[in-house]
Amino acid sequence: MAVLEIEGDTALVSPVRRRRGPGALFLAALFWIAAIALAALLANVLPIVSPTDMDLLGKRAPPSAEHLLGTDQLGRDMLSRLIFGARISLTVGLLAPVIGLGIGGALGMLAGYFGGRFEALTVGGVDVLLAFPPLVFALAVTAYLGQSVLNLTMVIGVLSIPAFTRVARATTLSLAQREFVVAARALGATHTRILLRELLPNVALPLLAFFLLGVAVTIVVEGALSFLGLGVPPPAPSWGSMIGEGRESLDIAPWLAFLPAGFMFVTVLSFNIVGDTLRALTDPRPGAL
């Protein structure tokens, strides 16, 4: 505490609380995300075998010099399948929230800014979509359109729209009557200009932080759908399908399930750490970080 003297009296003044920067855990999470994304991007040029090459004589082999992480129940290299599986998990994990961010973010901003009937219709539509069972929706879409990365991305992207709509609407409502928006209206700015120049830069930061958290949730959802057989069809590897395949060998080769589960856990945790840190950095309240 700092002591301040005013005309013979003393008063205690609280020191200014400085924000702490991101720590080592944040940097470690960033490193893991960058490493797994780079490996997935360069999977075709890395010195690894094809994820679909089978060796029935060497199935369920433990880690060795030839297969660093062992082989699965069909003799396929686990390291190769984990890297190629990361490509699918990250593709769906990054692209599906983009759909929710684009559509949900726009609807939320418009509903929070204009209010009235449009807001009521938007909130009602979001509530209906939240009430619809997501598993039934995924089953219906995959049964009609077939199983593919595109269809899986579209399903999860549509299901993520309500969450982004609520975040964008709540943030816009808190900003719509602020001084800079009122001043822009008084100066004759159009609704489009106010939305794009005044509100969007302030809504974008919370949405970006929520987007990273959405990536983590999407990776888990993709893994769960693949585990249930609703993801990308075999022989394409996916972390969720690898966990599903490995559960049959838990008693004799537990690494077949634990390795993809571990990769998914660390990746999801890393995105959560990065997203939560960015949310705290963009929070104007003192002591948020």
Side-chain angles (χ1 to χ4, degrees):
M1 285 291 183
V3 179
L4 177 65
E5 291 191 12
I6 304 178
E7 297 181 357
D9 297 330
T10 60
L12 293 177
V13 180
S14 299
V16 177
R17 183 177 296 177
R18 295 182 179 179
R19 285 178 177 265
R20 293 173 294 159
L25 193 60
F26 174 78
L27 298 178
L30 274 183
F31 175 79
W32 174 263
I33 293 173
I36 202 71
L38 189 62
L41 185 64
L42 302 177
N44 289 328
V45 299
L46 291 176
I48 54 178
V49 300
S50 171
T52 58
D53 288 349
M54 294 184 292
D55 180 12
L56 296 180
L57 297 178
K59 59 182 181 181
R60 299 190 182 93
S64 63
E66 185 180 359
H67 301 286
L68 296 179
L69 296 180
T71 60
D72 67 0
Q73 67 278 4
L74 295 177
R76 297 171 295 191
D77 185 76
M78 284 294 292
L79 177 60
S80 176
R81 290 181 64 78
L82 286 169
I83 292 176
F84 278 87
R87 174 178 290 183
I88 293 178
S89 295
L90 291 180
T91 298
V92 177
L94 291 172
L95 293 183
V98 169
I99 298 174
L101 176 65
I103 299 177
L107 287 175
M109 285 187 63
L110 293 174
Y113 179 73
F114 289 109
R117 291 184 177 179
F118 183 80
E119 183 181 18
L121 288 174
T122 301
V123 173
V126 165
D127 290 340
V128 170
L129 193 55
L130 285 173
F132 196 85
L135 185 57
V136 174
F137 179 71
L139 282 170
V141 172
T142 54
Y144 183 74
L145 298 178
Q147 294 176 255
S148 67
V149 175
L150 177 60
N151 294 338
L152 186 62
T153 302
M154 294 295 294
V155 168
I156 301 177
V158 171
L159 293 175
S160 69
I161 290 176
F164 283 97
T165 302
R166 288 189 166 188
V167 172
R169 173 177 169 268
T171 307
T172 304
L173 283 173
S174 67
L175 297 171
Q177 302 302 322
R178 295 285 294 273
E179 294 80 2
F180 62 94
V181 176
V182 175
R185 287 201 193 99
L187 292 174
T190 63
H191 293 311
T192 303
R193 181 181 177 84
I194 293 175
L195 284 168
L196 296 180
R197 298 290 298 273
E198 306 296 338
L199 292 175
L200 182 58
N202 293 281
V203 177
L205 290 177
L207 281 179
L208 176 60
F210 188 75
F211 171 81
L212 293 174
L213 298 176
V215 172
V217 174
T218 303
I219 292 175
V220 174
V221 172
E222 184 276 331
L225 292 176
S226 296
F227 180 86
L228 295 173
L230 300 177
V232 181
S238 164
W239 288 344
S241 62
M242 291 175 67
I243 297 173
E245 294 168 356
R247 64 179 174 175
E248 301 174 358
S249 306
L250 285 175
D251 53 341
I252 56 177
W255 63 86
L256 298 185
F258 289 151
L259 279 174
F263 269 65
M264 181 182 293
F265 168 76
V266 177
T267 303
V268 170
L269 179 63
S270 298
F271 274 107
N272 278 329
I273 290 172
V274 173
D276 194 55
T277 303
L278 291 180
R279 178 202 58 77
L281 288 172
T282 59
D283 195 332
R285 293 173 297 178
L289 183 62

